[in-house]
Amino acid sequence: MRHFDASQPLRVAVLGTGFGSKVHIPALQHHSETTVQAVYHRQPDRAAAIAVQFGIPNAYSDLDQLLADPAIEAVTIASPPFLHYPMAWAALSAGKSVLLEKPTTLNVEEARALWKLASSQGLTVTLDFEYRFVPAWQYVAELLAEGVIGQPWLVKLDWLMSSRADASRPWNWYALRSQGGGALGALGSHSFDYLAWLFGPARRLQARLFTAIQERPDATTGELKPVDSDDTDLIQLELAEGVPCQISLSSVFRQGRGHWLEVYGDRGTLILGSSNQKDYVHGFQVWFASAGQALQELTVPQRLAFRQEFADGRLAPFLRVVDHWLADLRHGQMTAPSLKEGLYSQLLIDLCWQSQRSGEWQTVPELNRFL
């Protein structure tokens, strides 16, 4: 693996100006060990406007020119999912390490190709699986490792949001499965990663994927255009030792309950949840009950707290993802959450679509078969 000079801030280019301008650029500019050297958007005017807004030295609308710039050491990719593979492939081919948004790619074969390229080039790829870095989630991971619930009997995950509940929200790439749109890529990618982190890999799965809002208006003409990406998903996993896991995901539920993980075991019950529909990170609380007792809220230890909170809850965990990326770059390694974890998440997404088509349970192969 390649190392970088830790005595100087890492010079980064941000590819993508949607989530990139909301989270990546502010976080990277806040971090003391990174500097945003350039921003990319395919439209020159858009790239230039973002560069001016954030005081970024260089704006590019030609990706090859950006990657040829010797002042750029690494890139973050915050583009729509259908661009993840070609952008990451180009960046790795140019010798740039990558911080990549989820879902990893459009399919597991693309993710596998990136893994092989990054490994052969000795480059680091970190995935933005930020729930691993949220204090309440880290506390739950510690409690599970301590065995407070005993043998798990059931894992139940509800992630029921209203972000796309308005049917008049304009049609865009998110409406197309072929471009990586849908709740499975947006929410399922995170879910599959943190379930593996907390409970280990799945043995098999079954999925039913639905599209409740089947048309959305064109932003320019108002004409209704078809939607074929999923917005509501019901998934069953069989985890290690046959532990059942029930997953409900949606981006179109008005007054949805939010994001909740419930773990039931022979010695107790552990619940992690947030009903916050405005912020996917702020608001998580933890409850525990030993067998025969009432649920009680637990206080997340101060040692796990963020150094600084932000109005947008995504910034603080993303900064921890950047910390992780930098540590891997310094030591010339790829540790979780890396492209390996991104490949696993993408594998389960693909298997969900296979289950949808066949109506059958799908066996989850060993990840080493793809490495």
Side-chain angles (χ1 to χ4, degrees):
M1 284 288 184
R2 299 185 191 181
H3 299 253
F4 83 101
D5 182 3
S7 66
Q8 300 292 327
L10 183 71
R11 299 187 301 273
V12 182
V14 175
L15 314 185
T17 59
F19 191 76
S21 63
K22 292 182 178 73
V23 175
H24 284 218
I25 292 173
L28 291 165
Q29 290 186 326
H30 179 86
H31 201 291
S32 62
E33 297 178 51
T34 57
T35 183
V36 182
Q37 185 72 21
V39 63
Y40 167 85
H41 192 278
R42 60 185 174 80
Q43 297 176 354
D45 292 347
R46 175 65 176 166
I50 293 294
V52 170
Q53 178 184 351
F54 290 97
I56 299 170
N58 301 292
Y60 287 94
S61 58
D62 185 306
L63 184 58
D64 290 337
Q65 289 181 5
L66 180 151
L67 294 173
D69 185 344
I72 296 170
E73 298 176 285
V75 303
T76 72
I77 299 177
S79 60
F82 64 92
L83 294 174
H84 287 185
Y85 173 72
M87 285 183 165
W89 182 272
L92 292 169
S93 299
K96 317 292 185 184
S97 288
V98 175
L99 195 163
L100 181 61
E101 275 302 327
K102 53 73 198 168
T104 313
T105 51
L106 292 182
N107 57 66
V108 73
E109 289 307 320
E110 289 183 346
R112 184 183 190 183
L114 292 181
W115 169 265
K116 290 186 174 181
L117 179 59
S119 300
S120 68
Q121 296 278 72
L123 295 168
T124 294
V125 181
T126 294
L127 264 290
D128 183 22
F129 287 138
E130 71 254 26
Y131 287 100
R132 291 174 177 252
F133 300 93
V134 176
W137 289 79
Q138 293 179 328
Y139 186 37
V140 164
E142 291 183 357
L143 293 170
L144 289 170
E146 292 169 7
V148 297
I149 65 157
Q151 172 61 38
W153 282 344
L154 173 68
V155 178
K156 186 174 186 294
L157 166 61
D158 288 341
W159 197 348
L160 308 176
M161 306 300 285
S162 59
S163 58
R164 302 188 66 82
D166 183 356
S168 67
R169 182 168 175 170
W171 187 99
N172 64 3
W173 65 266
Y174 193 96
L176 295 177
R177 181 193 159 201
S178 63
Q179 295 194 3
L184 193 59
L187 308 181
S189 56
H190 278 303
S191 304
F192 294 145
D193 175 66
Y194 64 63
L195 288 170
W197 167 47
L198 296 173
F199 304 102
R203 291 179 172 181
R204 60 183 190 138
L205 63 77
Q206 184 183 50
R208 291 293 175 267
L209 313 175
F210 305 90
T211 304
I213 298 177
Q214 299 184 4
E215 293 181 318
R216 290 188 181 273
D218 183 275
T220 303
T221 67
E223 177 186 358
L224 290 176
K225 301 176 70 172
V227 174
D228 70 358
S229 62
D230 57 299
D231 56 32
T232 302
D233 304 328
L234 302 178
I235 305 164
Q236 296 182 80
L237 299 183
E238 183 180 308
L239 302 175
E241 301 178 6
V243 175
C245 176
Q246 176 184 334
I247 303 172
S248 301
L249 308 174
S250 184
S251 58
V252 295
F253 284 2
R254 299 183 186 277
Q255 283 72 48
R257 70 184 299 231
H259 194 172
W260 293 81
L261 179 68
E262 304 170 17
V263 189
Y264 300 92
D266 65 345
R267 290 175 49 195
T269 296
L270 186 62
I271 296 177
L272 167 69
S274 171
S275 59
N276 191 342
Q277 291 279 346
K278 301 293 185 182
D279 190 314
Y280 279 39
V281 174
H282 277 147
F284 281 104
Q285 297 170 274
V286 180
W287 293 265
F288 173 71
S290 57
Q293 303 298 312
L295 283 169
Q296 293 187 343
E297 184 176 352
L298 304 181
T299 300
V300 177
Q302 185 60 33
R303 59 183 167 78
L304 298 176
F306 292 124
R307 292 193 299 269
Q308 181 177 345
E309 296 276 359
F310 300 86
D312 186 330
R314 297 170 296 185
L315 286 173
F318 184 78
L319 282 164
R320 286 185 169 179
V321 174
V322 174
D323 285 339
H324 179 85
W325 187 39
L326 293 172
D328 273 4
L329 287 169
R330 290 191 198 99
H331 295 99
Q333 62 189 13
M334 272 201 288
T335 61
S338 72
L339 189 51
K340 180 179 179 180
E341 287 67 37
L343 196 161
Y344 173 80
S345 173
Q346 189 64 53
L347 171 62
L348 265 61
I349 289 173
D350 285 14
L351 290 173
C352 283
W353 283 109
Q354 290 181 29
S355 178
Q356 171 74 1
R357 288 190 295 270
S358 69
E360 298 176 350
W361 284 83
Q362 301 294 309
T363 299
V364 180
E366 291 285 339
L367 185 59
N368 286 339
R369 287 179 48 189
F370 294 86
L371 302 179

